[in-house]
Amino acid sequence: MTTTTISPTYFDSAAAPPDLAVEVRGLTKIYTRDSKTTRALDGIDLAIPRGSIFGLLGPNGAGKSTLINILAGLVIKTGGEVKIWGIDIDREPRQSRGAIGIVPQEIVLDSFFSPRELLEMHAGFYGVPKRERRTDVILGMVALSDKADAPARSLSGGMKRRLMVAKAMVHNPPVLVLDEPTAGVDVELRQHLWAMVRDLRSRGCTILLTTHYLEEAQELCDRIAIIDHGHLVACDTTAALLSRVDDKSISFALVAPIDVVPASLAALGMTLAAPDKLALRYTPSRTQLATIFAAIAAQGLIIRDVSIQESDLEDIFLQLTRAGAKP
């Protein structure tokens, strides 16, 4: 009698971890409908370092969901190469899917089961042996230990989102995809989810985050990729992306109000934001602030306070994805 050994679907690799948690080369996806072709992804190259929080940004229809669905094995790519934790998704689809956990934007739970029952059931789907399941550990990680046996329908919206993360972790994936994890949640819950993401990274998990909240990506991500119309238009460290825009705003609060901006200051580009406040948008690489301060002093104006507004990720995003932008 022949015995067939089936490898488990949960991720249990004893091999040395790769430097890149996700590697994408020349990824292309073309949809054809009614003789019309749409290139959803066009030669995307991505390298996501192990242990990082990596942001994937783009406007609606940019191709983010297509890329994630290819990683998850839900969409078949047209061309290119994809590896998850060093595992090729074409050569070893079962193993590659075991190396990734997907947390969708929508909350999908059977409300009649408890969190403990849901995790046990989900672990069974992945073939995790009972002796190797980490249900209680995972519930503790997402702060749901005290709700372990409560019906899922009794959980708050924030708890349900944390339970979705827990479900994606039952097979011990080294890569976790969070698709819009804070969409529609309040500020307090968003901060809690941010803390959870950082905690997961500290435990060795690599996070791929998609979000429309650009301040969220700027706050959390080590590296960020921006795609638009299926093209990769930027991929760099967050700090390097922020340094691309050579533009700042500065405001001078004056001790005494003025009615009009003196001609010499107007010539420098200053405007009157309020009777007691001058504003200037300037280019740091071409502007000496000492010159600006001297010009204000020369008009006999006394500065009470100064505030500078740095460029943020929204400026970069809009610049790269504005209508007609080319990769």
Side-chain angles (χ1 to χ4, degrees):
M1 187 168 78
T2 302
T3 301
T4 301
T5 302
I6 300 176
S7 61
T9 57
Y10 74 99
F11 187 78
D12 187 26
S13 175
D19 292 332
L20 296 178
V22 177
E23 187 175 5
V24 175
R25 294 182 180 178
L27 182 59
T28 301
K29 177 60 184 178
I30 300 173
Y31 291 101
T32 302
R33 184 177 181 179
D34 298 330
S35 300
K36 182 180 179 181
T37 61
T38 301
R39 193 172 289 267
L41 296 174
D42 192 0
I44 297 292
D45 292 324
L46 285 179
I48 301 179
R50 182 183 80 245
S52 65
I53 301 177
F54 190 95
L56 181 63
L57 309 181
N60 291 330
K64 303 187 300 297
S65 295
T66 299
L67 195 154
I68 289 173
N69 287 334
I70 290 173
L71 295 180
L74 301 176
V75 170
I76 299 174
K77 61 185 173 60
T78 303
E81 181 182 14
V82 178
K83 291 182 180 180
I84 302 172
W85 209 247
I87 305 167
D88 190 285
I89 66 170
D90 292 325
R91 298 191 184 98
E92 300 177 280
R94 187 181 177 90
Q95 287 75 13
S96 68
R97 291 174 193 176
I100 193 169
I102 308 291
V103 183
Q105 180 178 343
E106 299 80 12
I107 295 177
V108 183
L109 296 170
D110 192 321
S111 60
F112 292 97
F113 289 93
S114 68
R116 189 190 307 279
E117 291 169 334
L118 285 169
L119 295 197
E120 285 290 318
M121 183 166 55
H122 212 62
F125 294 156
Y126 275 96
V128 183
K130 286 190 176 181
R131 67 182 181 278
E132 297 182 24
R133 295 179 187 176
R134 306 176 302 134
T135 299
D136 289 333
V137 173
I138 294 172
L139 287 171
M141 289 172 61
V142 298
L144 287 176
S145 295
D146 60 336
K147 299 291 184 179
D149 299 307
R153 64 179 179 273
S154 68
L155 302 181
S156 68
M159 291 176 182
K160 289 177 180 178
R161 285 195 179 275
R162 299 204 301 271
L163 183 53
M164 290 293 294
V165 175
K167 280 179 59 181
M169 295 170 59
V170 296
H171 58 297
N172 195 32
V175 180
L176 194 62
V177 177
L178 303 179
D179 188 7
E180 299 284 348
T182 60
V185 304
D186 60 35
V187 174
E188 183 178 0
L189 176 56
R190 186 176 302 170
Q191 292 290 336
H192 186 91
L193 290 170
W194 286 9
M196 187 176 67
V197 169
R198 292 189 178 99
D199 181 62
L200 289 171
R201 196 263 296 275
S202 73
R203 295 170 183 266
C205 193
T206 302
I207 309 292
L208 173 57
L209 173 71
T210 75
T211 179
H212 280 98
Y213 298 111
L214 299 184
E215 75 278 7
E216 181 169 79
Q218 185 172 331
E219 176 74 19
L220 291 176
C221 297
D222 308 303
R223 298 182 65 85
I224 290 174
I226 300 175
I227 60 176
D228 189 28
H229 294 94
H231 296 279
L232 183 69
V233 296
C235 185
D236 212 330
T237 64
T238 305
L241 280 176
L242 291 173
S243 68
R244 287 193 181 191
V245 174
D246 189 18
D247 184 72
K248 291 184 180 181
S249 296
I250 187 169
S251 297
F252 303 93
L254 304 176
V255 171
I258 58 176
D259 296 324
V260 295
V261 180
S264 61
L265 300 183
L268 295 174
M270 286 195 190
T271 59
L272 197 62
D276 61 346
K277 182 178 290 186
L278 291 168
L280 174 67
R281 199 170 186 91
Y282 69 102
T283 304
S285 63
R286 299 198 300 267
T287 305
Q288 295 291 327
L289 286 181
T291 303
I292 303 299
F293 279 95
I296 294 173
Q299 295 298 316
L301 303 177
I302 301 174
I303 298 172
R304 176 171 49 83
D305 193 16
V306 176
S307 62
I308 296 179
Q309 182 180 353
E310 302 280 350
S311 298
D312 58 18
L313 191 58
E314 182 175 351
D315 297 316
I316 308 294
F317 183 86
L318 293 174
Q319 183 184 83
L320 294 173
T321 62
R322 65 183 184 273
K326 299 296 181 182

